[in-house]
Amino acid sequence: MKKSIITIGIIVTIGSIALLYDSNKKEVLLNKEEITNNKSIAIYVKQEDGNYEKTNTIPENGYMLNEDRSVCSNNAKPNWNFKTNILKINNLSSNNTSCYLYFEPTTEEVNTILGNITVNKYTPDFSKIATTDEGIFKTNDNDGVSYYWRGAATTNYLKFGGYCWRIIRINGDGTIRLIYDGTTCHNNGEVTTDSIAVENVAYNTKNDRSEYVGWTYTEGLQRPTNNNEGTPSNAKTKLEEWYNTNLANYNDKIADGKYCNDRDFEINEFVQEWSSTGLTFNYLARVRRGTSSPKVLCNSYDNYILKVGLISADEIIYAGGRTEMNKSYYLYNGQNYWTITPSDWASASVYSYNFIVRDDGFLNGRGVHGLRGLRPVINLKSNVNITGTGTINDPYEVV
């Protein structure tokens, strides 16, 4: 089949529209109308049977460019912003470039323990908070592909054990990760103490050594020799007391989940090695927050296998939080509560800091000796039976 081309020069004319090529940036921008009106552009759209069909028009909203398959000559790279309907072709190495564009839907249907769910195939912008229901996305965890809810989610309510929970994500092993929402289900943006299971808890009662960020810790060590050793944090003790009182009867449905207490730290020109009371340093989760690059992959030596734990700072970012007030996403409750994630060690103040979600939804570090709330996180086994649609009026329910 002969493919048509688009030729780009110093000034490109498509129909009656002139486009200016920036010789400094070596790029050209084309909007949807300009491309659609041009009969010489090669456009291919993915069909339901999986094949690509040639067309003369850019598909409607809800499609994204397959950047792995789309190609341009002369080492140019096409990038399509499906939200603004702008095609950017950059890294141009000459004035004559031909491109062949392959489009596919931005979402896919995935069969899970909850039935079929619609999953976004693109990566959200983690440099911004999520204030609307952005849907479900995917990432990789230690067990495979994980599906997570982002923003003002409306389909992640679940009832279990006499409580309401919000689904954080479906883990790579098929289990479902939940965060406590209270004795009843709450709307996004609602201020409530009901979603705090244990109030006014210090993560650790001591704060003057960097190791006190640990879910368990051994004084003088960055982390215990293994996760079965060390002194339990105060948060761990209080949370497990709550679990044993309220959920122990449901052990047969609750999986042994993985909880990442990531104690890897940033090495730089000032800090080359870990120390208990030495120079200030940041833990890598704080670095990831700054670069807007969260992850739920975790080193095995920081991955605790538990019946109950806390949400991680990275999971907060996936859900739509960051260093900015956000009273709209589903994790906001108008309260201060702990995560399991270390933030930094500040030698000047002699404080160990862990991340919290503030009462305005802001993700920030606070001294581990401060009093904050605990929101339990559990994981349901992958073989439980679930009904419902996940809305606040028809939550998923384990039967």
Side-chain angles (χ1 to χ4, degrees), residues 31-100:
N31 65 39
K32 180 177 177 180
E33 180 183 2
E34 290 161 346
I35 297 173
T36 299
N37 289 341
N38 184 344
K39 303 302 181 183
S40 66
I41 298 176
I43 301 168
Y44 297 85
V45 179
K46 193 172 187 178
Q47 307 300 305
E48 290 185 2
D49 62 5
N51 293 317
Y52 285 87
E53 182 179 288
K54 189 176 184 301
T55 179
N56 291 324
T57 61
I58 296 289
E60 294 300 316
N61 292 337
Y63 284 80
M64 60 190 291
L65 188 71
N66 183 330
E67 294 186 21
D68 292 330
R69 185 160 185 169
S70 297
V71 294
C72 290
S73 62
N74 301 318
N75 297 316
K77 296 181 180 180
N79 176 270
W80 175 262
N81 187 324
F82 67 91
K83 292 183 179 180
T84 61
N85 288 328
I86 294 292
L87 174 71
K88 178 164 68 174
I89 304 172
N90 54 25
N91 294 339
L92 296 172
S93 59
S94 75
N95 293 334
N96 296 303
T97 300
S98 58
C99 293
Y100 310 102

Side-chain angles (χ1 to χ4, degrees), residues 105-152:
T106 57
T107 61
E108 61 182 334
E109 294 296 312
V110 178
N111 185 259
T112 69
I113 186 173
L114 301 177
N116 285 337
I117 60 173
T118 300
V119 178
N120 293 308
K121 297 169 68 175
Y122 59 93
T123 301
D125 185 354
F126 296 121
S127 69
K128 299 177 181 178
I129 59 173
T131 59
T132 62
D133 186 356
E134 295 190 6
I136 305 171
F137 296 83
K138 63 181 178 181
T139 189
N140 291 323
D141 64 16
N142 289 74
D143 296 306
V145 178
S146 180
Y147 303 101
Y148 62 93
W149 278 250
R150 179 171 170 82

Side-chain angles (χ1 to χ4, degrees), residues 7 15 28 71 78 83-84 92 106 190 227 240 243 277 312 361 387:
T7 301
V28 67
V71 294
K83 292 183 179 180
T84 61
L92 296 172
T106 57
E190 183 176 345
N227 289 343
E240 289 177 350
Y243 178 91
T277 58
S312 73
T387 62

Side-chain angles (χ1 to χ4, degrees), residues 137-174:
F137 296 83
K138 63 181 178 181
T139 189
N140 291 323
D141 64 16
N142 289 74
D143 296 306
V145 178
S146 180
Y147 303 101
Y148 62 93
W149 278 250
R150 179 171 170 82
T154 56
T155 59
N156 67 339
Y157 290 90
L158 187 146
K159 284 188 174 180
F160 172 71
Y163 300 105
C164 188
W165 306 78
R166 301 299 289 267
I167 301 172
I168 302 170
R169 58 191 176 100
I170 299 174
N171 302 308
D173 61 3

